[in-house]
Amino acid sequence: IAETAPPLQSDVMIYRIVVIALGLVIVAAMGGAILLSVYGKTIPETLTALGSGALGAMAGLLAPTPRQQ
């Protein structure tokens, strides 16, 4: 049996789906925060944490991995 790479390394669709989902969470959190502030409501900390977490996760996914020589 030939060795194949693990799915997380060989399947690009997994990364695309995760990046799109995180992007949608970021846009929804930003849109919700803007909409709430326009109507004079307070922005819940949960909404801020959700957007920040999704942004950090996307940065971690898209950042290049350090290479050891």
Side-chain angles (χ1 to χ4, degrees):
I1 297 175
E3 284 191 38
T4 58
L8 288 177
Q9 293 178 354
S10 62
D11 190 10
V12 246
M13 283 305 291
I14 293 173
Y15 284 108
R16 288 182 187 168
I17 291 170
V18 171
V19 168
I20 289 171
L22 288 172
L24 289 174
V25 170
I26 292 168
V27 169
M30 286 179 59
I34 291 170
L35 191 66
L36 285 172
S37 66
V38 165
Y39 287 111
K41 307 278 184 174
T42 59
I43 301 168
E45 290 181 16
T46 308
L47 189 62
T48 306
L50 192 63
S52 299
L55 186 61
M58 186 180 286
L61 277 175
L62 298 178
T65 57
R67 299 179 193 258
Q68 295 181 356
Q69 295 185 18

